[in-house]
Amino acid sequence: MRRPASTHSSYRIVFLPYLLLLIAVAGIIYLSRQSISFAEKVGSAADRLAGFPETILWAWERPENLSFIDPAQTGVALLARTLYLRGSEIIVRPRLQPLRIPPGTAVMAVVRIEADASKPIEWSQSQRQKTIDAIAELSSLPGIRAVQIDFDARQSERKLYRELLRDIRSRLDPSIPLSMTALASWCMYDNWLAGLPVDEAVPMLFRMGVDQRNVLLFLDRQRRFAARLCQTSVGVSLDERLAKLPPHRRIYVFNPKPWSESAVQTMLAENRKR
Amino acid sequence: MITKKTVAARALAIIVAFVWLTTQYSYACGPFFPQAVFTHKLHPDFPLTDYAAGNLGVLQPTYARSYLYVAYRYLNGIGFDKNEQKALVALWNERLKSNSLDEQEWLNEWLQARGRIPNAGPASVTMPYHRWRTYSSYSSYANCLEDTFRSATKTLEERIKTLGQDSAELREWLKGQDQVLANCSKGQTIPTPLPPTAHALLRADRAYQIAVANFYAGNFETAEKMFREIAQDTSSPWREIASLLAARALIRRATLGKPQDSTDQHLLADAEVDLKRLLADNRLKAIHASANRLLAFVDLRLKPEARLRDLSQVLLTKDIGDTLKQDLWDYTVLLDRQRPSVDFDDLTNWIFTFQETNQRFAAKYSLEKWRQTKSLPWLVAVLAKIDAQDANASEVLRVAASVDQTSPAYLTVFYHRIRILSEIDNKAEARKLLDELFSRTRLQIPISSQNLFRAQRLALARNLDEFLKYAPRTPALITTDEAGRELPDNVKRQSAGSYFDDDAVKVLNKALPVQLLQEAAFSKVLPIHLRRELILATWVRAVLLGNDGLALKLTSEIGRLIPHLSEAMRAYQNVSDPKTRHLEAVRIMLENPGMRPFVGTGLSRLTPLSRIDNYRDNWWCSPAVIFGLGSVNASTMFELSWKDVSTKAIPPHNFPSFMSAAQKSTARKESSELMKLETAPNYLGKKVINWAKQSPADPRVAEALHLVVRSTRYGCGNDEPSAVSKEAFQLLHKNYPKSEWTKKTPYWF
């Protein structure tokens, strides 16, 4: 399957019939998306995540003592649950490791979805409902101001992911912003994120494998991701420093090791220099 | 004033923008790419049974501590029996399988057993985890463990036999058990006591169910009291386990009533007393193993330093038996939590010293310890840490030479002997020793260690053939695990074959002039698939450097090695005019997106030569573009470290010792030329555009222009390719409107 080289590329339309056909196709797509677009409007009315500081630390499944952070400067996105979807099953694994944060910290609950390639998700009504419940429940955790979903959905899983996001958005209180992580490639050439009822898609600029070169080249050329949802935040890792980042309002930082005060200070100092 | 024309223009702009925004593309996503691991850094090679059996290979200081503990025992001549080896592998598998979902298996077993009861109704338990009750609102703990479900399943099967599958008593038991399990994840569901008229066994079961329900509901004091009463009831089948659960209730109060990373030491001390009393009671032998495990858990939290000291001694006793897995688990957990003081105990000291990254400090400390103990573990530590310039290096080397090849330390000692000999410039001796090692076919060397030795030998190569002999490596693992955990996929792969590792790639791509690359490509020493990659890289490099003569020499061999290129190569060879021949080469490159002037590391480019790679690993990038990017994974000839990028320095050349001064000089000149190279779509595109302008009647031009536009879509680029793409597109449409290639090129990029 091929993808377009870059979003800013000029498409020269050669034949009028092609243009008319494209307009017709676009019309059909527009009509088919009406229900999503409404939700998108809810999400895009303003930056509803503006209450979060510019820097947000991902607190993954390990003991984390972040009691030293300054809530005015740093927020926390904690891995609260991992959902394993395999075949017709859903297995919910909650966070089992302690986390300490100071009072007043802006907290986002992250749910990681793991799919088993050898047992494709059946997405039965029961499985879908349990998945929605398991995610929606997170907003009732004390002090949670937003929910983020982390799911590296394969091509075949995009439809169900889109449905899930729509379901979650309608289940969550409208005041709770919904964030999602995104493979950088989703933000570069692809338009499948358009219309998703989320407040932001956070491009993950680390652990990119062979796609790393493409992503870095893309950023070098474009400086900004094409997908609108990807334009407010970036996700980076402490052990993969990047020379250039696209413009962003928020930066999510992953640390493969437990956070320490010195690591946070160093990272904040680096972010200030950008 | 808004004119009709303006309205029409705006409408068209909106429509075009709308078409653009709503168009969806489909392509594979996700960075799930197979990668070769040549030497494991985090754990030994799979299967881990070999390591557990004492085949240690070359020990890595980056191994997890449980592996280093095993090494220490073998180095001290203690080793492990078969059962202990199984326990070790079980521990490693459990730790490496971070995504194991065992809880679902226990739950399913219970649900299946329960499902056999007629009219059982829906089950109550959904998950075995419970939110932390008092503190740490974001975390949960495993409330109902494996024993909960296994015991419920076993009791159900026994009660079916005793009470009958269709009996009202069994349904009553099941009702109580469902209520017990309902507390696993939330709530307070406590079964009601049965009247004295009820079946005696059922009443005993119900008393136990009530106590357990209180336990899972977090009413630990109530549960403890109830368990103690059951323990005193000689008629209850639950009296033994109830004694143990009373202590568990105390432990839960101690650990769950405080913040998640602290405990109530007084309650734990009470639990310790309780458990020791149980262990002293011979009538309770059936629960002694469990009591011991709980006591270990308590000691771990109550007096971690004393527990660590105990464990470090216990772990070195011969015939540890059944407790090995738990003891090693606890020991490594304690080491993860806090590093003990220096000179804590020999095992712990050795592990931390071997892992120490301050080589000078570690070498000095190891040397002292080795002088004191004369033990093999400390000799291994000294060798691993000592610098060749150290005054004691020769003494250590002398002793190292006496380590027998049957010793579990042999390969580690050997590896560091070679390292030190190479560093002190005794290369002849190092080479001789390595060649002897390779000739010993009976010696079992793990693949990771083989690759380390081949890398050492590669660095000692005296000529090109020796270099090529040791350049290919067999991966210890091929994995798509992007988290770097060096774990196998659940996918069966075909035999791995051999590939270039970083050391060979750096020399081939950055140090050898094309003349030597040509010799390498013709050498029969390399396996054929690596020769194919190398000869193509050499041909592309020769063409780009304008070394026509050398490029021509390669054509027949390319045709032989890669038959589907033979026709293209003949066409190239048959062109007599150098300029036209160069254009023919450009055309061939455009047709084959896998053509590039460098070889890849590891699995390299997996897409066939003539096919577009979906992730744009096509042709080559400009070094100037790469310079601006920051860190880049691919080991291309342009690969740079972070430092290189920030200083804009040209990376140093790794010239092998067999290169002459003239060859080095040529390599530098060629490298300098290649650093100026434009990105492939630009370089190739500009050549074709000139060709199209100068020879518009040439029948090959239309196809070449189409291929240029394609390369700007799928190749590496910066802003400039758009200009090349547009010009090629316009030439194609203007000059060849009826060509099939024009029809295939509706857009430029």
Side-chain angles (χ1 to χ4, degrees), chain B residues 61-244:
Chain B
T62 41
Y63 282 173
R65 294 187 185 116
S66 58
Y67 303 106
L68 294 179
Y69 152 71
V70 170
Y72 179 87
R73 248 183 92 116
Y74 274 112
L75 296 178
N76 267 313
I78 308 173
F80 298 91
D81 66 26
K82 292 280 176 204
N83 282 335
E84 289 166 344
Q85 289 174 27
K86 275 186 193 167
L88 291 170
V89 174
L91 180 144
W92 293 326
N93 283 341
E94 208 167 311
R95 286 191 168 169
L96 293 174
K97 261 195 339 179
S98 60
N99 284 347
S100 84
L101 299 169
D102 295 342
E103 65 263 41
Q104 195 64 25
E105 284 172 30
W106 319 326
L107 190 57
N108 286 344
E109 275 176 32
W110 159 248
L111 294 174
Q112 275 173 18
R114 190 186 175 285
R116 290 200 293 272
I117 309 301
N119 305 316
S124 54
V125 64
T126 51
M127 58 190 278
Y129 302 102
H130 200 293
R131 279 261 303 286
W132 208 259
R133 291 163 209 273
T134 325
Y135 301 90
S136 192
S137 318
Y138 303 118
S139 309
S140 300
Y141 63 94
N143 192 19
C144 297
L145 304 174
E146 182 176 2
D147 282 352
T148 311
F149 298 99
R150 296 258 150 92
S151 169
T153 307
K154 185 167 167 271
T155 310
L156 175 61
E157 281 160 4
E158 286 171 5
R159 295 300 176 265
I160 289 172
K161 286 180 196 157
T162 319
L163 304 171
Q165 185 159 304
D166 298 323
S167 68
E169 283 89 353
L170 187 73
R171 276 199 295 280
E172 185 60 36
W173 180 89
L174 189 62
K175 184 180 156 196
Q177 194 58 38
D178 278 343
Q179 289 173 315
V180 168
L181 297 177
N183 296 289
C184 288
S185 53
K186 58 186 173 188
Q188 293 269 336
T189 311
I190 312 297
T192 48
L194 292 178
T197 51
H199 191 291
L201 178 61
L202 200 57
R203 271 192 292 121
D205 283 350
R206 179 52 55 90
Y208 180 70
Q209 286 173 334
I210 293 169
V212 175
N214 274 289
F215 180 83
Y216 290 136
N219 308 321
F220 301 123
E221 284 185 79
T222 309
E224 183 196 340
K225 186 169 164 284
M226 290 177 164
F227 284 133
R228 290 199 193 285
E229 285 169 8
I230 296 168
Q232 297 302 316
D233 180 358
T234 51
S235 67
S236 173
W238 301 104
R239 63 187 179 282
E240 288 184 345
I241 191 76
S243 310
L244 189 74

Side-chain angles (χ1 to χ4, degrees), chain A residues 147-158:
Chain A
V147 171
Q148 184 177 74
I149 302 181
D150 178 31
F151 179 25
D152 300 336
R154 295 171 177 83
Q155 178 83 25
S156 57
E157 293 156 346
R158 286 184 182 178

Side-chain angles (χ1 to χ4, degrees), chain A residues 1-3 5 10 23 33 93 95 97-98 100 142 155 185 191 212-214 216-217 221 241, chain B residues 15 20-21 24 27 100 103 129 138-140 260-261 614-616 625 631 633 642 713-714 717 748:
Chain A
M1 284 174 280
R2 293 173 176 182
R3 61 181 120 150
S10 312
I23 291 168
R33 286 196 181 167
R93 176 82 57 90
R95 180 183 185 85
Q97 301 296 337
R100 287 190 177 201
Q155 178 83 25
S185 58
N191 211 22
Q212 184 190 34
R213 192 191 66 174
N214 298 330
L216 296 178
L217 283 169
R221 290 204 305 266
R241 300 193 308 169
Chain B
I15 290 164
W20 165 247
L21 287 171
Q24 293 199 35
Y27 63 96
S100 84
E103 65 263 41
Y129 302 102
Y138 303 118
S139 309
S140 300
Q260 202 172 352
D261 41 5
N614 281 333
Y615 287 86
R616 287 214 271 177
V625 172
S631 56
N633 271 347
W642 177 264
R713 180 176 190 184
Y714 296 109
W748 56 271

Side-chain angles (χ1 to χ4, degrees), chain A residues 1-5 7-12 14 19 22-23 26 29-30 33 78 84 86 89 91-101 107 141-144 152-155 158 162 183 185-186 189-192 207-214 216-217 220-221 241-244, chain B residues 12 15 18-33 98-101 103-104 108 127 129 131 136-142 259-261 482 614-618 621 625 628-633 642 712-714 716-719 722 729-730 733 746-749:
Chain A
M1 284 174 280
R2 293 173 176 182
R3 61 181 120 150
T7 50
H8 85 305
S9 299
S10 312
Y11 276 56
R12 178 158 190 168
V14 182
L19 175 62
L22 280 171
I23 291 168
I29 292 169
Y30 173 76
R33 286 196 181 167
L78 67 100
Y84 298 89
R86 53 181 197 187
E89 283 181 332
I91 300 161
V92 181
R93 176 82 57 90
R95 180 183 185 85
L96 296 174
Q97 301 296 337
L99 168 71
R100 287 190 177 201
I101 48 173
V107 184
L141 289 175
I144 292 297
D152 300 336
R154 295 171 177 83
Q155 178 83 25
R158 286 184 182 178
R162 189 177 282 123
L183 298 175
S185 58
W186 295 354
Y189 332 100
D190 203 340
N191 211 22
W192 90 274
R207 312 288 190 272
M208 293 180 281
V210 299
D211 213 23
Q212 184 190 34
R213 192 191 66 174
N214 298 330
L216 296 178
L217 283 169
D220 192 55
R221 290 204 305 266
R241 300 193 308 169
L242 300 178
K244 291 177 184 173
Chain B
L12 184 63
I15 290 164
F18 191 70
V19 169
W20 165 247
L21 287 171
T22 53
T23 307
Q24 293 199 35
Y25 306 96
S26 57
Y27 63 96
C29 68
F32 314 116
F33 305 103
S98 60
N99 284 347
S100 84
L101 299 169
E103 65 263 41
Q104 195 64 25
N108 286 344
M127 58 190 278
Y129 302 102
R131 279 261 303 286
S136 192
S137 318
Y138 303 118
S139 309
S140 300
Y141 63 94
Q260 202 172 352
D261 41 5
E482 287 290 333
N614 281 333
Y615 287 86
R616 287 214 271 177
D617 187 6
N618 300 311
C621 292
V625 172
L629 292 181
S631 56
V632 173
N633 271 347
W642 177 264
T712 61
R713 180 176 190 184
Y714 296 109
C716 186
N718 48 28
D719 285 337
S722 291
F729 174 90
Q730 286 174 335
H733 281 266
Y747 311 117
W748 56 271
F749 302 93

Side-chain angles (χ1 to χ4, degrees), chain B residues 539 542-544 546-549 551-552 571-586 683 687 691 694 700:
Chain B
W539 182 78
V543 170
L544 297 177
N547 192 338
D548 235 24
L552 277 169
Y572 170 79
Q573 203 173 13
N574 289 341
V575 182
S576 52
D577 170 49
K579 272 190 180 173
T580 316
R581 192 161 54 232
H582 186 78
L583 288 172
E584 187 60 29
V586 165
Y683 176 90
K687 301 272 178 188
W691 179 21
Q694 285 168 14
R700 296 168 301 170

